[in-house]
Amino acid sequence: MRRLIVFIVLLVLCSCANRRINQFSTFADAGSTYTEAMVRLTTEAGNIVIDADSEELLRDRDQFTQDERGNLYFKRTRALETLLSTIRDIRVHTSLLNRYFMALSQLASSRSPASVTGQLSAIVTSMEKIHPDIENSKIGNASVKDFMGSATPLVISGFKRKKLEDELRKNAGTIERELELQNALLKALSEQLKTDMEIILNLKNYQHVAQPYISSPKLPDNWKEKRKEILTSYLSLDAADKAREAAGDLKTAFLDLLENKTGSAGFKPLFEDINAMIDLIELVAKNGKK
Amino acid sequence: MAPYELKGMTVKQLGDTIKAMSDPEYLWGVSKLSPEKQHENAWYNQQLQMANLQMRNAQLSDIREKLIANETDLSNGILRIQEVMADLTKTEEVMSQVKNFLDVVGRVVPLLV
C-alpha cells in the first residue's frame, strides 16, 4: 500500500514537473512571437515617423524662404536620425531577447547541447551592454526611462531540469530588467506611433476628404470610400492601447512561470495583446503604403 | 509644482497643440486667412516642433531654474491654450495663444530665430 502511495505521489510530481516544462516551451514560443512582432513594429514605426515628419515639412514648405527651409530641414533631419538610431537599437535588443528565448526553450528540452549555457551568457552580456543607451533614449514625446518600473523581487521555485534552474537563478534578474525595458520601449513606441498616425490621418483627412468636399467643383469618384477608410482608421488606433500591454504581459508571464504560478488562463492574455500588436503593425503598414 | 512635472506638462501640451494644429477643421480655418497669417501659422507650427524637440532633449538639471522662474507663466499658458483649443474654428485666437505660449517656452529652451 505504501509503495502504491509513493508511486502515485511520484506520478503527480512528475506530471506537474512536465506540465511546467511544457509551459516553459509555450512561454518561449510566446516570447519569440512577441519579439518577431516587436521587430516588425519597429520597422513600421521607423517608416511612419519619417512619413509624419515629411508630411509636416511639406505642409508648410511654400510658406518659407529658402534660408528658412534649409534651417528647418537640417534641424528636423538631425532629430529624425537620432530617433531612427534609437529604433535600430531597440531592434538589436529585441533580436537578442528572441535568441535568449530560443536558447532557453532548448535548455528546457531534455536533450539540450552543452553549448546552450555559454550562448545564454553571451546573449545576456550583449543585452546588458546596450541597455543603458536605450534606457536613456527618447522616443517622440516620451523618455524611455519615464516608463521603467522598479525591479521586481524574484522567487524561483525548483525546476526538474537542473541546467534550466541554474540558468534562471543566474540570469532571471537581468531578464526581468530587460523585459521591463521592452515594456517601457513598447509603451513609448505605441504612444509615438499613435501620435504620428493621428497627424498623418488628420492631414490625409484634410487633403483628400475635407478640402475636396468644401472647395472642389467636382469630387473624386472614390471620395466616399476614402472618407470611410480614413475615419475607420482613426478607430483602429485603439489597437495601440492594447498592443502597448504585450511586453508587460510577457514579463508577468515570465515571473509567474518562475514562481510556478501560471494560472488556468495560461498565456491567453499575452497572445491576445501580441495579436493587437500585429493588428497595429498591419494598420500602420496599410496607411504607410497609401 | 516640481520642475520635472512642469517639464512633462509642457512637453505634453506642445505635442497636443501640434496634433490639434493638424486637425482638418483648424487647417480649413487657416486656408481662409491672409497669406501673411498663413505664413505666421506655418512659423508657429515649426516653432512648436522645435520647442517640443528642445524641451524633450533638455536635461532637467540644465533648465530647472528657468522652469521654476517661469512656472506661473507656463501653467497659465497651458491652461489658456487648452481653453482655446476646445474650439478649433477660432483660428486666430488659437494662433494668438500659441504665440504667447511659445514666448514663454522660448525663455526656457532656445527656439528658431
Side-chain angles (χ1 to χ4, degrees):
Chain A
M1 184 64 185
R2 189 185 278 177
R3 270 189 189 174
L4 184 65
I5 292 169
V6 169
F7 177 72
I8 291 169
V9 168
L10 277 175
L11 200 67
V12 168
L13 284 175
C14 206
S15 106
C16 285
N18 279 337
R19 188 173 64 90
R20 203 155 166 230
I21 293 296
N22 289 340
Q23 282 177 343
F24 227 96
S25 270
T26 313
F27 170 76
D29 287 345
S32 286
T33 313
Y34 161 81
T35 51
E36 279 161 23
M38 186 66 170
V39 167
R40 281 180 64 200
L41 191 69
T42 53
T43 306
E44 293 304 338
N47 291 336
I48 211 78
V49 89
I50 298 170
D51 285 347
D53 195 71
S54 300
E55 292 278 1
E56 289 280 357
L57 268 179
L58 290 173
R59 182 174 87 181
D60 296 323
R61 183 175 176 272
D62 295 343
Q63 299 292 335
F64 295 119
T65 63
Q66 285 192 7
D67 278 350
E68 286 169 335
R69 281 182 203 168
N71 191 6
L72 289 170
Y73 181 83
F74 293 114
K75 280 206 165 87
R76 292 186 69 114
T77 304
R78 270 194 293 276
L80 197 57
E81 281 165 356
T82 309
L83 181 56
L84 291 172
S85 155
T86 302
I87 288 176
R88 194 177 50 231
D89 289 345
I90 299 172
R91 215 171 294 152
V92 173
H93 185 267
T94 310
S95 300
L96 285 168
L97 201 59
N98 188 23
R99 283 175 54 201
Y100 183 85
F101 287 133
M102 284 162 79
L104 202 63
S105 178
Q106 273 188 294
L107 209 59
S109 73
S110 54
R111 281 190 293 266
S112 62
S115 59
V116 174
T117 314
Q119 278 174 30
L120 284 161
S121 292
I123 296 167
V124 169
T125 307
S126 301
M127 277 196 281
E128 283 177 316
K129 214 165 158 183
I130 59 170
H131 184 121
D133 280 349
I134 302 179
E135 188 176 329
N136 286 317
S137 62
K138 292 176 178 72
I139 298 175
N141 291 336
S143 162
V144 173
K145 208 179 234 170
D146 293 342
F147 287 99
M148 288 283 288
S150 50
T152 312
L154 301 180
V155 181
I156 302 172
S157 61
F159 279 86
K160 192 182 167 191
R161 306 244 185 275
K162 177 81 172 60
K163 277 197 255 179
L164 179 63
E165 188 176 328
D166 289 348
E167 165 56 29
L168 292 172
R169 289 203 184 278
K170 188 174 159 199
N171 287 324
T174 307
I175 297 304
E176 186 272 338
R177 287 291 78 200
E178 301 310 325
L179 288 172
E180 183 57 34
L181 179 63
Q182 283 284 327
N183 186 23
L185 289 171
L186 184 56
K187 284 191 161 76
L189 206 58
S190 312
E191 214 157 273
Q192 181 59 30
L193 256 178
K194 204 173 168 183
T195 302
D196 286 341
M197 283 293 297
E198 275 182 86
I199 290 175
I200 286 180
L201 288 172
N202 276 346
L203 297 177
K204 278 185 179 176
N205 190 1
Y206 181 65
Q207 196 185 344
H208 300 297
V209 182
Q211 202 181 30
Y213 178 79
I214 299 167
S215 52
S216 291
K218 188 178 181 304
L219 284 173
D221 290 341
N222 65 345
W223 183 85
K224 279 202 299 188
E225 286 75 25
K226 198 80 197 164
R227 183 166 186 248
K228 185 159 59 178
E229 179 193 305
I230 290 173
L231 295 182
T232 52
S233 291
Y234 280 110
L235 297 176
S236 308
L237 283 176
D238 288 349
D241 296 329
K242 192 154 173 56
R244 75 202 294 272
E245 302 303 327
D249 284 348
L250 188 67
K251 184 183 145 190
T252 306
F254 180 67
L255 298 178
D256 286 350
L257 203 52
L258 293 182
E259 289 189 45
N260 199 10
K261 272 189 355 191
T262 306
S264 56
F267 304 111
K268 198 169 166 244
L270 172 58
F271 280 111
E272 280 173 3
D273 290 343
I274 294 172
N275 281 336
M277 271 177 93
I278 294 166
D279 288 345
L280 181 63
I281 293 161
E282 280 164 9
L283 174 73
V284 174
K286 192 177 97 180
N287 277 282
K289 276 182 201 138
K290 284 167 189 165
Chain B
M1 188 184 301
Y4 81 89
E5 287 176 300
L6 197 54
K7 184 188 176 202
M9 275 174 60
T10 307
V11 168
K12 185 176 183 313
Q13 191 54 57
L14 288 166
D16 288 348
T17 310
I18 292 167
K19 215 154 56 178
M21 286 173 79
S22 73
D23 189 285
E25 200 171 20
Y26 182 78
L27 293 176
W28 174 241
V30 172
S31 75
K32 292 186 281 184
L33 298 176
S34 66
E36 292 75 25
K37 281 279 173 192
Q38 286 188 30
H39 180 268
E40 199 182 316
N41 180 71
W43 180 247
Y44 294 151
N45 191 35
Q46 296 300 331
Q47 285 284 40
L48 279 168
Q49 311 265 355
M50 192 49 62
N52 196 24
L53 189 71
Q54 297 280 19
M55 201 69 167
R56 275 192 280 123
N57 288 340
Q59 293 294 327
L60 188 59
S61 53
D62 295 338
I63 59 169
R64 179 187 298 272
E65 296 308 318
K66 288 177 183 169
L67 283 167
I68 293 168
N70 291 287
E71 180 182 349
T72 311
D73 288 347
L74 278 172
S75 303
N76 289 341
I78 290 171
L79 278 179
R80 280 196 217 106
I81 216 162
Q82 282 174 347
E83 276 169 20
V84 80
M85 279 193 333
D87 184 357
L88 289 173
T89 59
K90 293 178 180 164
T91 320
E92 292 198 57
E93 278 183 45
V94 173
M95 280 171 63
S96 166
Q97 289 306 329
V98 168
K99 181 193 179 302
N100 293 342
F101 187 47
L102 281 168
D103 286 344
V104 184
V105 176
R107 288 184 229 148
V108 181
V109 288
L111 300 181
L112 295 165
V113 284

